[in-house]
Amino acid sequence: MDSYGSSLNRSQSLTSGLEKSSPTWKPSHSRSSSTLSSRHSRQIIKDWEVIDDPQAEMHAGGDNPQDMTTPGICEGYLLKRRKWPLKGWHKRYFVLEAGNLRYSKSQHDVSRGRVQGSLDLSFAVMSINKKSNRIDLDAGDILYHMKAKSHELFYIWVTKLQAHRQYKKNEAAHVHSSLLQTLSQGTAAGHEQRNGDLSSAGMVDSAGAPAVVLPSDNTAVNSKVSAWLQQSHDPDTCVQELNRCCVDLSELNRLIQRLQLLEAGQAFTNGDLKRIISIQNLSLEKPKKSRSGKMWGHSRTLSRVEALGMLSSSHLNSSPHLGTSVPSIPEYVYSQLSPPTVTSPEGKKIQQDICAMSLRVLASLKTVHETLSQERQKMQEVWESNNIHQSNTLAEPAVVRRSSHGPPSVADSAAEYFDASDDILCGSSSEVSDESGLSDGSTTNSEPEEGHASATRKYRASISKSPNSVVPKSTGRRTKLPAHCPDNSHVGLMAILYNNIGKDLARVSMPAPLNEPVNLLQRLCEELEYSELLDTANNTADPYQRMIYIAAFAISGYSTATFRNRYKPFNPVLGETYECIREDRGFRLISEQVCHHPPISACHADSDNFSFWQDQRWKNKFWGKSLEILPTGMVNVTLPRYGDHYEWNKVVTCIHNVLSQQRYLEHYGEVTIRNLKSNVCTCKITFVKSRYWGSDTNKNEVQGTVLDQSGSVIHRFGGLWHEGIFCDTLPTPQCVWKPNPQPKDYQLYYGFSTFAMELNELTPDLLPLLPPTDSRLRPDQRMLEEGKVDEADKKKDDIEEFQRERRKELTKRGEEHVPRFFKKAKDSCGRDVWLTNGTYWKLRENPGFANIENTAMW
């Protein structure tokens, strides 16, 4: 594979073929990129690179659609990273066709039209990792992490993906230019609308002829469509019809491409090798053998691309035709790369006629499919809105029936909650073969289900009827910041992020204008904004109801994220601390940055009603258009009255369209809350991933259940994590939690809540009591809060440099940093955790931090 490896070096794009190189994307210089000094640039991971569009077009002609060669279909199994908890890989069957990538659980599901997801490659940023055979596609709203099982398959998939992406972009460009030309010629309005709709759907045949549209006055067609639409009361029937139509269209498109290939009938030169791979229909599965040992079905089979080494070797570059290498290529591979010739002019003419007619049929079917999809969506919306009133009317009788017959069973909740198991690939997934019999059962993840949508509509209606949260009483603390948040549109964020695709951004230096004037230690404290839920839990006798308040508290910590997607918190330096004493809320908290590689922040809070602690590490990774924040570590809460110890995980946060003004944030994944001191009940919370095709009303959904020891559902609750949580199975159905209203002009102050604005406040009476390591005393953060952006940026660089020098000194002395107020321990599961050592408040009281030696942080 030396020849293969040499063709995939850093300076070449994978899909540049075997003869030409295509330079990868290079960032432009900007103020933000200058902060990445030579010291930082050495740390940039070299394994990931962004694949740019090829310099050479896949078609030899100009913008004429008849010169655009449609890339061949590519299908086969790849490993796809799980949506939650983003650990391990599923084996999924992918089909790449006409610039669209879709996947199902198996090849059988593809044949039946069961599609789990699809992605338009023209909108996707593609980044690759050659070492691990990884391919990441980021289309903003959709993010796929994929892995091939061999270098050969990796090469083929990357080549195919880029060919299809280029084709899709060329198609869109042609549609745009055609539309402009039509408008400039003064075409009639009705004709413009009809052709614009067809063009936007790509319905132009290979000969450049306009697509044939089914006549609207066709009585038979209209009656059939009307009859079909009347079945909309059964959504499953409609979905099956649409899926079957998709399958038929895919098969017809494949046949058309085969006919077009037959029409070519010419020998291939080495210069066409890249084009050959791109236009062929490839099924990347091993050919099956009959009992006699002969291969069958090999006409569309390429198993691990055994011939790729032959194709990429130097002897091909010296031979004028691919045919000279026939003896070296297995027959079943060569059959795909050598198109059969047409035997007679008459046969060729027939094939041309069939090809032209098939394209017209294909365009017509696409029109029907698009129209039916749109009409069904409209009818579905009307149907659902009519049922909202019925659902609300039936909710109260349902509660009465449940209360008289005990808690609902799992079967009673099956229509709204789904909890199936799934076998996953962990560890060395690439070693599992295609024939390993891996189960691809239903996935327990954050994918939206129809039951989630209907339940959320019900909960949302109930939350909207509930009274708003009472505005917090004045505490005498500040209600706004000293200065407005800065405009950071001038910062070259693209240069920074594209230099670090796939890298943990926690280790990347960011300019100060991208930050908000709080850090991650203070963010941990911000999760206690609704600590009154823990107070209520500690005073609730029923263990099942107590779990509901614990769940509401776990959800409440995500509520402020809706307004916080423009800036990031400061990363604490090693040894930095933060204290928060809130007499009005009855708790006090201490947090410390206990580790730098990996960065770990630990905190502990005490109250008469609870204890709260956690240690968290955030991995921030950019995938081209989206930024994922993956927290690790567990959250712990104890309630002294009942001796409960609750523990739960956190979900993934993703910022979509991070480089555009249409940026938005979502949380997705599952949270499991367990009481380590009692197995009476557990709680499962699902943060539902937003629907790719849905509206804003479908975002931020959250659903939860409280289960007894047998797994029966005792309570159900849900809503939206930024609007509130409603529980309709309590003796008195009620809104358990609703976020506090945002303060006036919060948009001008980083989207901070009232509680967040108070986190970094430094009062004269507090100043002499704090250790010099407290975040309130960090100068760059204070300068940013006061609007001194340039000074903050320079000071931030100085502090980070000082931290690096401190680490170097420790390394020279052979020492490691020892946290001052936390100690490392093991939890009940053997995981490393950081617990308070109980010294902070004692030292603060006597002798006081001003009277003892402290480490210099800045």
Side-chain angles (χ1 to χ4, degrees):
M1 297 303 297
D2 291 340
S3 60
Y4 168 71
S6 63
S7 66
L8 300 182
N9 58 55
R10 177 70 179 174
S11 62
Q12 289 182 317
S13 174
L14 281 177
T15 54
S16 62
L18 304 173
E19 300 172 355
K20 297 181 178 181
S21 63
S22 177
T24 55
W25 183 90
K26 295 182 179 180
S28 59
H29 294 287
S30 66
R31 162 66 188 90
S32 59
S33 62
S34 66
T35 63
L36 298 175
S37 64
S38 60
R39 292 184 298 271
H40 304 312
S41 63
R42 289 194 294 268
Q43 299 177 2
I44 294 177
I45 291 180
K46 298 180 180 180
D47 295 345
W48 286 95
E49 64 176 289
V50 180
I51 295 299
D52 202 1
D53 293 330
Q55 298 292 333
E57 303 293 339
M58 290 300 176
H59 55 278
D63 293 332
N64 195 325
Q66 65 184 359
D67 295 327
M68 293 170 57
T69 302
T70 304
I73 300 172
C74 186
E75 56 185 292
Y77 282 102
L78 288 171
L79 298 177
K80 183 178 181 295
R81 198 178 188 184
R82 299 186 73 209
K83 295 182 180 68
W84 174 253
L86 294 179
K87 294 180 180 178
W89 301 77
H90 292 301
K91 188 176 77 169
R92 292 294 182 257
Y93 195 83
F94 284 83
V95 178
L96 178 59
E97 178 181 10
N100 294 294
L101 181 67
R102 65 181 188 272
Y103 74 92
S104 300
K105 290 184 178 179
S106 64
Q107 188 174 10
H108 179 67
D109 284 354
V110 170
S111 64
R112 299 185 63 179
R114 296 178 178 175
V115 179
Q116 285 195 305
S118 62
L119 181 148
D120 187 337
L121 289 177
S122 64
F123 300 121
V125 173
M126 182 166 68
S127 52
I128 62 169
N129 187 323
K130 302 174 212 173
K131 278 190 175 181
S132 58
N133 299 329
R134 287 274 304 276
I135 304 172
D136 284 0
L137 297 172
D138 187 350
D141 292 338
I142 310 173
L143 178 59
Y144 287 172
H145 303 285
M146 303 176 296
K147 182 192 294 186
K149 297 182 182 180
S150 68
H151 293 298
E152 298 90 343
L153 292 179
F154 171 75
Y155 179 90
I156 289 295
W157 274 109
V158 172
T159 302
K160 283 287 192 179
L161 286 167
Q162 192 171 11
H164 279 262
R165 185 174 65 163
Q166 186 63 42
Y167 169 79
K168 194 74 171 179
K169 289 185 176 181
N170 290 341
E171 183 184 53
H174 171 72
V175 168
H176 180 69
S177 61
S178 298
L179 180 60
L180 292 178
Q181 183 178 4
T182 302
L183 292 174
S184 65
Q185 292 175 352
T187 309
H191 183 64
E192 291 175 16
Q193 179 65 34
R194 182 167 59 254
N195 285 352
D197 292 342
L198 291 176
S199 297
S200 63
M203 297 177 188
V204 182
D205 62 27
S206 62
V212 175
V213 184
L214 293 181
S216 58
D217 58 349
N218 189 317
T219 306
V221 172
N222 285 340
S223 61
K224 185 173 181 179
V225 171
S226 300
W228 185 86
L229 287 174
Q230 290 175 2
Q231 300 176 3
S232 292
H233 65 276
D234 184 358
D236 290 337
T237 302
C238 300
V239 172
Q240 292 172 5
E241 286 285 344
L242 292 175
N243 286 339
R244 278 196 291 269
C245 186
C246 286
V247 173
D248 293 341
L249 291 174
S250 298
E251 181 62 18
L252 182 56
N253 193 35
R254 185 186 67 82
L255 293 174
I256 292 172
Q257 291 176 356
R258 296 297 295 272
L259 289 173
Q260 289 174 328
L261 188 61
L262 290 174
E263 181 183 353
Q266 58 183 357
F268 297 120
T269 64
N270 294 324
D272 295 325
L273 182 57
K274 174 182 172 183
R275 185 169 177 270
I276 292 171
I277 295 177
S278 299
I279 67 174
Q280 295 296 312
N281 293 329
L282 301 179
S283 178
L284 305 178
E285 292 304 298
K286 290 184 177 180
K288 298 181 180 179
K289 292 185 178 182
S290 64
R291 293 182 178 179
S292 61
K294 295 181 179 180
M295 291 184 179
W296 58 275
H298 61 267
S299 60
R300 297 182 64 244
T301 302
L302 185 60
S303 169
R304 297 181 62 82
V305 200
E306 286 90 340
L308 187 60
M310 303 293 182
L311 295 175
S312 59
S313 58
S314 58
H315 76 271
L316 279 181
N317 294 329
S318 61
S319 57
H321 298 287
L322 186 64
T324 58
S325 302
V326 171
S328 302
I329 303 177
E331 181 182 356
Y332 69 91
V333 176
Y334 181 72
S335 64
Q336 297 185 89
L337 301 179
S338 300
T341 57
V342 180
T343 56
S344 65
E346 181 180 2
K348 186 174 182 179
K349 178 62 169 61
I350 293 174
Q351 292 175 357
Q352 291 174 342
D353 293 342
I354 293 175
C355 184
M357 182 58 67
S358 298
L359 285 171
R360 289 180 170 83
V361 174
L362 175 62
S364 300
L365 288 176
K366 282 186 175 180
T367 303
V368 173
H369 178 260
E370 185 181 60
T371 302
L372 294 181
S373 299
Q374 294 174 351
E375 291 301 321
R376 178 185 176 275
Q377 180 65 28
K378 294 177 183 178
M379 185 172 289
Q380 181 77 8
E381 292 175 357
V382 175
W383 176 63
E384 291 177 352
S385 63
N386 290 337
N387 280 338
I388 291 178
H389 176 72
Q390 298 177 8
S391 299
N392 293 334
T393 304
L394 295 175
E396 294 183 3
V399 171
V400 173
R401 288 195 300 272
R402 284 195 296 270
S403 62
S404 61
H405 293 86
S409 65
V410 174
D412 294 332
S413 305
E416 297 184 26
Y417 302 96
F418 303 86
D419 190 23
S421 62
D422 193 14
D423 294 319
I424 64 172
L425 290 173
C426 297
S428 182
S429 302
S430 60
E431 296 177 2
V432 181
S433 67
D434 290 345
E435 292 76 34
S436 62
L438 176 67
S439 172
D440 276 320
S442 301
T443 307
T444 299
N445 56 30
S446 56
E447 283 296 289
E449 300 284 357
E450 189 60 34
H452 282 304
S454 61
T456 300
R457 284 191 293 270
K458 178 183 66 175
Y459 288 130
R460 192 173 195 181
S462 300
I463 293 170
S464 64
K465 297 176 183 177
S466 303
N468 292 328
S469 300
V470 179
V471 178
K473 296 180 181 179
S474 175
T475 60
R477 297 172 182 264
R478 67 183 185 184
T479 57
K480 62 180 183 180
L481 301 180
H484 294 169
C485 54
D487 177 18
N488 56 17
S489 59
H490 66 284
V491 178
L493 181 61
M494 181 179 293
I496 300 175
L497 295 179
Y498 270 78
N499 263 328
N500 295 279
I501 283 187
K503 183 179 179 180
D504 185 357
L505 295 182
R507 301 187 181 187
V508 178
S509 177
M510 295 286 184
L514 295 178
N515 291 83
E516 59 185 17
V518 296
N519 66 19
L520 291 174
L521 299 177
Q522 293 165 313
R523 276 285 188 98
L524 292 179
C525 180
E526 195 174 356
E527 295 181 22
L528 288 172
E529 179 171 358
Y530 300 97
S531 60
E532 64 271 14
L533 291 167
L534 298 181
D535 297 333
T536 303
N538 192 52
N539 292 284
T540 301
D542 184 271
Y544 303 107
Q545 295 182 26
R546 197 155 62 238
M547 181 66 84
I548 292 176
Y549 290 105
I550 295 295
F553 172 77
I555 296 169
S556 69
Y558 297 96
S559 60
T560 59
T562 308
F563 315 104
R564 307 277 283 277
N565 56 23
R566 294 177 55 201
Y567 303 89
K568 63 174 289 293
F570 277 82
N571 293 330
V573 298
L574 188 61
E576 186 172 345
T577 62
Y578 175 74
E579 75 162 51
C580 182
I581 302 177
R582 297 300 299 255
E583 294 89 350
D584 57 321
R585 298 173 182 265
F587 73 80
R588 64 182 186 180
L589 171 140
I590 172 61
S591 56
E592 181 181 4
Q593 189 72 4
V594 297
C595 186
H596 186 71
H597 288 308
I600 300 176
S601 305
C603 74
H604 185 97
D606 283 314
S607 165
D608 291 339
N609 290 317
F610 65 85
S611 289
F612 166 88
W613 72 92
Q614 62 175 314
D615 57 85
Q616 292 292 333
R617 174 192 177 187
W618 292 268
K619 290 183 178 180
N620 308 291
K621 292 192 176 181
F622 175 64
W623 300 109
K625 289 187 177 181
S626 303
L627 178 66
E628 282 185 330
I629 304 171
L630 291 76
T632 61
M634 307 296 284
V635 184
N636 295 265
V637 166
T638 58
L639 303 180
R641 173 169 292 188
Y642 302 101
D644 293 339
H645 180 178
Y646 299 96
E647 180 186 75
W648 65 88
N649 61 285
K650 289 187 173 182
V651 296
V652 175
T653 298
C654 186
I655 303 175
H656 296 280
N657 302 321
V658 69
L659 299 176
S660 74
Q661 297 301 316
Q662 288 74 39
R663 187 182 309 159
Y664 69 95
L665 180 149
E666 70 168 330
H667 309 290
Y668 48 82
E670 288 189 350
V671 174
T672 301
I673 305 177
R674 295 183 176 88
N675 187 347
L676 303 184
K677 299 297 184 181
S678 171
N679 58 359
V680 171
C681 62
T682 57
C683 179
K684 291 186 178 180
I685 308 172
T686 298
F687 286 74
V688 184
K689 191 174 179 62
S690 61
R691 296 163 178 79
Y692 303 140
W693 57 89
S695 62
D696 289 341
T697 59
N698 294 325
K699 294 178 180 178
N700 303 349
E701 298 177 33
V702 60
Q703 302 281 322
T705 56
V706 177
L707 310 172
D708 64 12
Q709 289 176 290
S710 65
S712 297
V713 177
I714 305 300
H715 289 296
R716 295 171 301 166
F717 57 88
L720 295 97
W721 49 258
H722 71 297
E723 289 187 1
I725 298 299
F726 192 88
C727 181
D728 57 0
T729 55
L730 290 170
T732 302
Q734 61 178 294
C735 181
V736 181
W737 163 78
K738 211 170 186 179
N740 297 324
Q742 286 289 99
K744 182 181 178 180
D745 297 330
Y746 67 91
Q747 300 98 332
L748 300 177
Y749 301 109
Y750 302 89
F752 282 180
S753 65
T754 301
F755 186 78
M757 286 191 185
E758 300 167 350
L759 290 174
N760 203 48
E761 184 178 13
L762 182 59
T763 57
D765 59 327
L766 183 61
L767 181 60
L769 302 177
L770 294 176
T773 57
D774 194 277
S775 299
R776 294 179 184 87
L777 304 176
R778 179 167 173 168
D780 54 347
Q781 186 171 310
R782 181 64 57 187
M783 290 174 180
L784 178 64
E785 182 182 276
E786 295 172 350
K788 304 173 183 177
V789 181
D790 293 337
E791 294 92 328
D793 201 16
K794 182 179 183 303
K795 193 63 178 178
K796 182 174 180 291
D797 289 341
D798 294 341
I799 292 174
E800 291 170 351
E801 179 62 26
F802 183 66
Q803 180 181 223
R804 285 188 286 272
E805 292 300 324
R806 283 201 299 129
R807 290 203 310 270
K808 288 180 182 178
E809 289 299 323
L810 286 175
T811 303
K812 286 181 181 179
R813 297 196 300 263
E815 300 176 0
E816 292 184 358
H817 173 77
V818 178
R820 193 175 183 184
F821 306 113
F822 286 82
K823 60 183 178 180
K824 197 172 186 179
K826 297 284 186 180
D827 64 6
S828 58
C829 296
R831 295 176 297 230
D832 289 335
V833 294
W834 290 90
L835 305 176
T836 177
N837 59 19
T839 61
Y840 182 86
W841 303 112
K842 294 178 181 178
L843 290 174
R844 187 182 191 272
E845 182 178 356
N846 185 23
F849 292 113
N851 300 317
I852 59 177
E853 183 179 354
N854 298 282
T855 304
M857 295 283 103
W858 31 73

